[in-house]
Amino acid sequence: MTFWLLLTVNSITFGSLLFLLAAGFSLIFGLMRIPNLTHGSLFMLGAYFGATFVGGMLGMMFNFWVAAVMAALLVAAFGAVIERLLLRRLPGQQMAQVLVTLGISFIVADFCLMVWGGDPVAVATPDTLVGSVRLGPMIFPIYRIAVIGIAVVVAIALWLLLDRTRLGAMIRAGVDDPDMARVVGIRVSRLFTIVFALGAGIAAFAGVIGGPILTVYPGLDQYMLPLALVVVILGGSGSLLGSVVGSLIIGVLYNFGQALLPELAYFVLFLPMVLVLLLRPQGLFGRFIP
Amino acid sequence: MATNALELSHIDAYYGDSHVLHDVSFSCGEARLLGLLGRNGAGKSTCMNVTIGLLAPRRGQVSIFGTPVAGLSPEQISAQGVALVPQGRRIFKSLTVRENLVVAAQKPRDGKHAPWTTETVFAMFPRLEERRNQIAAHLSGGEQQMLAIGRALMGNPRVLLMDEPSEGLAPQIVHEVMNTIRKLKESGLSIVLVEQNPTLVFDVADDIVILNTGRVAVVSTPAALQEGNVDLTQHLGVF
């Protein structure tokens, strides 16, 4: 019983982390139709930045949350540069976008190897969240519970931004009909840079939040990227609800698969993706067929 | 002579290799309504696209109250006080009625006219207010047309371009739309009304320009045209 409950909590924690990772990917892919293969790298870069700031490698120790926000802002700026200088020149050319973003992910991976080396780097758990809580017969690490809370807060914030603000409505107008949006005075090009930077920033934030659980190591990018892809394909790109549901499904399948059928863990993970692509290619909550 | 609200001079425009506008010049005076007539494919919508910046002319100039705008982006031209009610309405389908209006809001360029807000647009089209939180895709054709007009007004324009606002609407709704256009004209807005149906336009227009295969064929007034000194069927076909 304890085993099942613990596995469930771990699944939800991992799903929460996946949501933080996939939300930005879904935003960029769903709204701008850019298959951003740097997304795993942005996650890893964020995690390394977080480790650096928290660990005092710059001669100064930063608070965990401050470090997370700083990493998010830095990577968001990097994302804005990628969008402005490279992706902007390849509108609608998905194959070229795939190759460019894949190329950047290799550059980022090598950059990280050069700066942080090949050994795993740990991100310290924030002091206030160290330890465990006891619930009946079970013991849960506080931090894992906190990750769930953070994902909920980010999900609500994103929903409010996209669904309840004028900026969000302008972004959606730009997706519905870019030319018409420009005709009514919306600066669509600037909005898309903001969306890309936002997606990149959330990925980096997720990297820092995931740091204490995953630790950071070379290859983390290529470990996370397929998971984000599976979540978005399953949930449907551009749909926040799709990201939430997709993340939870993948979180459960991944954890239960590894615990119960370790030899088939990846099969269990990708099977639903294949089924969704066959039966409902736009994903469970998606608006368009990629 | 006062500056014209909108002036196209010697416009040549192409879609790829096909030459669609040949040395097109016409103008719309301040607070006047210009009816732009012509058959399908005569170049009426292309004139609108050139004016709003969706298509850059290869030669010629477009001026808004004397300010040259040819070659500027749509968002820059929109900031000059030009709004478009496009052919096919092109409302933002996944947005609510209210969001369609809010995203297009711009401050007026001068304090002369009472600015359009969601409230004043809703006052003009009460049916939109009843549906303010509905997704725009679920509106009827007539309601979508009202929304497209309301959205254009939210930009508080000086020049309003309307591309076939009666297209595909029931006669009763067409009547309402024409009444709205009349009211807007009385409020001092300069309007270019593109239509295929001349009888609709003759009712409201001060001036008429007829395009034929990408060239200006006739510049006249409704009164003169109704006297019958131009063979309309030659330019407009049977109606």
Side-chain angles (χ1 to χ4, degrees):
Chain A
M1 180 65 192
T2 312
F3 170 75
W4 295 106
L5 260 172
L6 207 60
L7 208 52
T8 305
V9 172
N10 277 344
S11 300
I12 298 174
T13 305
F14 193 63
S16 302
L17 208 52
L18 285 180
F19 167 76
L20 291 175
L21 172 73
F25 188 84
S26 172
L27 204 63
I28 292 169
F29 189 46
L31 297 186
M32 301 167 66
R33 315 277 152 90
I34 293 178
N36 176 29
L37 296 192
T38 57
H39 212 73
S41 316
L42 300 173
F43 178 90
M44 181 171 75
L45 200 57
Y48 272 125
F49 280 153
T52 307
F53 298 144
V54 172
M57 288 177 225
L58 294 178
M60 191 179 159
M61 306 258 278
F62 286 95
N63 170 285
F64 182 84
W65 305 106
V66 174
V69 171
M70 278 166 57
L73 290 177
L74 272 175
V75 174
F78 177 54
V81 170
I82 296 176
E83 200 276 334
R84 276 274 144 184
L85 296 186
L86 293 168
L87 295 171
R88 174 55 47 94
R89 291 159 200 269
L90 305 165
Q93 304 172 43
Q94 290 209 326
M95 188 53 77
Q97 292 165 349
V98 162
L99 291 175
V100 162
T101 51
L102 192 63
I104 297 169
S105 80
F106 291 152
I107 296 173
V108 170
D110 255 21
F111 171 79
C112 291
L113 193 61
M114 198 174 80
V115 174
W116 288 282
D119 293 329
V121 179
V123 182
T125 309
D127 294 339
T128 44
L129 299 176
V130 174
S132 313
V133 278
R134 177 178 284 278
L135 270 179
M138 279 150 322
I139 294 168
F140 299 118
I142 297 176
Y143 188 71
R144 291 189 171 239
I145 309 281
V147 169
I148 300 172
I150 294 165
V152 170
V153 169
V154 170
I156 292 174
L158 275 177
W159 173 72
L160 288 176
L161 173 72
L162 287 173
D163 243 60
R164 286 289 177 269
T165 67
R166 180 163 184 249
L167 179 71
M170 286 163 107
I171 291 171
R172 284 179 283 131
V175 173
D176 269 8
D177 189 336
D179 276 345
M180 199 54 222
R182 298 179 68 197
V183 165
V184 302
I186 299 172
R187 292 199 260 173
V188 174
S189 129
R190 197 183 58 173
L191 277 186
F192 279 5
T193 306
I194 292 175
V195 168
F196 199 91
L198 180 67
I202 301 172
F205 182 77
V208 183
I209 299 300
I213 298 175
L214 300 166
T215 73
V216 204
Y217 52 91
L220 179 64
D221 51 346
Q222 299 309 329
Y223 171 71
M224 295 310 283
L225 179 65
L227 294 174
L229 276 169
V230 183
V231 167
V232 171
I233 290 171
L234 197 61
S237 61
S239 158
L240 200 60
L241 182 62
S243 298
V244 172
V245 174
S247 303
L248 286 175
I249 292 175
I250 296 302
V252 167
L253 288 178
Y254 189 73
N255 277 273
F256 278 79
Q258 283 207 326
L260 304 176
L261 302 162
E263 309 84 9
L264 294 176
Y266 264 83
F267 179 74
V268 171
L269 194 59
F270 286 99
L271 182 67
M273 184 182 94
V274 173
L275 290 178
V276 161
L277 280 177
L278 278 174
L279 302 173
R280 199 180 153 78
Q282 71 270 42
L284 296 174
F285 300 95
R287 282 193 300 175
F288 77 105
I289 297 170
Chain B
M1 198 188 119
T3 12
N4 283 316
L6 168 69
E7 190 159 332
L8 272 69
S9 44
H10 307 294
I11 295 289
D12 276 277
Y14 293 72
Y15 283 122
D17 284 336
S18 82
H19 194 169
V20 279
L21 294 182
H22 303 260
D23 195 31
V24 167
S25 301
F26 61 79
S27 58
C28 173
E30 181 167 9
R32 290 181 78 81
L33 195 151
L34 172 71
L36 189 57
L37 295 167
R39 287 181 195 171
N40 251 336
K44 308 182 301 293
S45 291
T46 309
C47 286
M48 298 298 97
N49 287 344
V50 164
T51 305
I52 200 70
L54 286 174
L55 179 68
R58 201 166 294 180
R59 270 180 297 278
Q61 189 53 269
V62 181
S63 310
I64 305 300
F65 285 93
T67 310
V69 297
L72 296 185
S73 67
E75 48 270 46
Q76 286 168 319
I77 294 175
S78 158
Q80 283 296 325
V82 185
L84 171 70
V85 179
Q87 190 173 21
R89 309 184 267 271
R90 290 175 72 172
I91 51 160
F92 301 122
K93 290 208 162 67
S94 71
L95 274 59
T96 65
V97 168
R98 200 186 62 81
E99 284 173 337
N100 261 280
L101 298 176
V102 168
V103 295
Q106 290 187 64
K107 289 196 178 70
R109 295 178 43 82
D110 49 35
K112 271 192 266 174
H113 306 297
W116 288 97
T117 60
T118 42
E119 282 72 30
T120 48
V121 169
F122 283 150
M124 181 165 229
F125 301 114
R127 229 160 343 148
L128 291 182
E129 178 154 35
E130 290 164 27
R131 289 162 172 59
R132 54 186 294 151
N133 291 321
Q134 277 189 27
I135 298 297
H138 300 158
L139 298 181
S140 72
E143 289 162 350
Q144 291 192 7
Q145 189 62 63
M146 290 170 195
L147 183 56
I149 296 173
R151 179 181 63 180
L153 293 174
M154 288 297 288
N156 285 293
R158 303 189 283 178
V159 178
L160 181 63
L161 313 172
M162 306 183 91
D163 198 347
E164 303 207 20
S166 71
E167 189 187 30
L169 297 182
Q172 175 56 34
I173 312 287
V174 172
H175 184 71
E176 272 182 50
V177 168
M178 296 313 285
N179 276 340
T180 306
I181 293 172
R182 214 169 273 121
K183 270 188 234 165
L184 292 174
K185 185 191 150 194
E186 280 159 18
S187 79
L189 201 54
S190 315
I191 300 173
V192 179
L193 175 61
V194 170
E195 267 299 338
Q196 293 204 44
N197 178 353
T199 42
L200 279 180
V201 180
F202 286 171
D203 249 15
V204 292
D206 300 303
D207 309 288
I208 299 284
V209 168
I210 300 179
L211 292 178
N212 197 345
T213 56
R215 292 175 177 82
V216 174
V218 176
V219 180
S220 187
T221 61
L225 289 172
Q226 275 162 324
E227 277 170 25
N229 43 18
V230 174
D231 182 11
L232 286 179
T233 48
Q234 182 198 332
H235 300 300
L236 300 176
V238 182
F239 52 86

